[in-house]
Amino acid sequence: MKLATLQALNLARTQRKAAALVTVLDSGEERLVSEADVARDPLATALAEQLRKGKSATVEQDGKRYFITVHVPPVRLVMIGAVHISQALVPLARLLDHEPIVVDPRTAFASPERFPEVQLIAEWPDVALPPLGIDRYTAFVALTHDPKIDDPALMHALERDCFYVGALGSRKTHARRLERLREAGVGDNTLSRIHAPIGLDIGAISPSEIAVSIIAEITAALRLESGEKKPRPIA
């Protein structure tokens, strides 16, 4: 690998940007394609697919074989609420090599005893979230059931390009949430990005089962959806 390519890759890692190293297998010729430049590359379709999967692969096009080495940032799972569901989500996130982060201003909940060896931020969302640099490789879940905490956190997430935004609550609870967010100036197209009720419908009841349904929906959003977010119906 050329020094300039290595330097560009290191910069992309630092900035949490995805990139793909394309190597022509017959000649060894290589080029680094940033995620922003994928659409202009001759291998645009294959590059987009492998970046979405987060997986390197050999592809063939126009009689040539290429190896696409994928470099994507680790997924972060930001949980608003140091609650039982969050406790169950943390080990699931780690099992998938995601980075769990828990935010909750309520120090009785956000304690190292309840969340050992987890990045735990016992601050209100307006203080805790901006330094995190939430991006398109962030999954964001609001779990407190407290509008004073969840609503500003959701507004922050919706202003970013995170690939998943979910919120705990029944359909009635979510309908009230949507009205509050509309009154705060959030448009319906943006509100349609919220997955609520959160998680895949698997009949989950316990915190652990709900956590499984959430991590499954996050995985589907990461691996199955492409490009633009699919709109969700708004109650």
Side-chain angles (χ1 to χ4, degrees), residues 142-161:
L143 304 170
T144 72
H145 271 309
D146 185 341
K148 298 190 302 296
I149 302 173
D150 283 351
D151 287 5
L154 286 167
M155 290 179 67
H156 181 90
L158 291 170
E159 290 171 355
R160 274 69 186 172
D161 191 31

Side-chain angles (χ1 to χ4, degrees), residues 71-124:
H71 299 269
V72 295
V75 170
R76 294 182 299 183
L77 173 54
V78 176
M79 292 161 272
I80 305 300
V83 297
H84 292 309
I85 295 172
S86 302
Q87 288 179 301
L89 272 171
V90 166
L92 292 175
R94 285 177 169 159
L95 186 65
L96 297 177
D97 294 324
H98 300 342
E99 177 189 352
I101 302 171
V102 178
V103 175
D104 197 324
R106 305 169 299 181
T107 53
F109 294 92
S111 67
E113 292 76 21
R114 298 183 73 238
F115 290 89
E117 300 180 6
V118 177
Q119 184 175 353
L120 187 62
I121 308 174
E123 299 282 357
W124 289 88

Side-chain angles (χ1 to χ4, degrees), residues 68-233:
I68 300 175
T69 307
V70 170
H71 299 269
V72 295
V75 170
R76 294 182 299 183
L77 173 54
V78 176
M79 292 161 272
I80 305 300
V83 297
H84 292 309
I85 295 172
S86 302
Q87 288 179 301
L89 272 171
V90 166
L92 292 175
R94 285 177 169 159
L95 186 65
L96 297 177
D97 294 324
H98 300 342
E99 177 189 352
I101 302 171
V102 178
V103 175
D104 197 324
R106 305 169 299 181
T107 53
F109 294 92
S111 67
E113 292 76 21
R114 298 183 73 238
F115 290 89
E117 300 180 6
V118 177
Q119 184 175 353
L120 187 62
I121 308 174
E123 299 282 357
W124 289 88
D126 62 336
V127 174
L129 296 179
L132 292 179
I134 290 172
D135 56 25
R136 66 178 302 172
Y137 292 97
T138 302
F140 191 98
V141 295
L143 304 170
T144 72
H145 271 309
D146 185 341
K148 298 190 302 296
I149 302 173
D150 283 351
D151 287 5
L154 286 167
M155 290 179 67
H156 181 90
L158 291 170
E159 290 171 355
R160 274 69 186 172
D161 191 31
C162 44
F163 74 90
Y164 178 90
V165 179
L168 187 67
S170 67
R171 286 180 173 80
K172 289 184 178 179
T173 297
H174 187 53
R176 292 193 293 269
R177 177 189 294 125
L178 292 174
E179 287 306 312
R180 293 193 304 270
L181 294 176
R182 286 189 186 101
E183 290 175 2
V186 184
D188 280 353
N189 285 341
T190 300
L191 292 175
S192 70
R193 293 177 55 203
I194 301 175
H195 292 255
I198 197 170
L200 296 183
D201 185 3
I202 59 173
I205 297 174
S206 70
S208 295
E209 290 173 345
I210 295 169
V212 169
S213 75
I214 292 170
I215 207 73
E217 190 171 52
I218 288 171
T219 302
L222 178 65
R223 300 304 184 201
L224 295 182
E225 297 182 4
S226 61
E228 298 180 6
K229 307 293 187 300
K230 294 180 180 178
R232 293 171 63 87

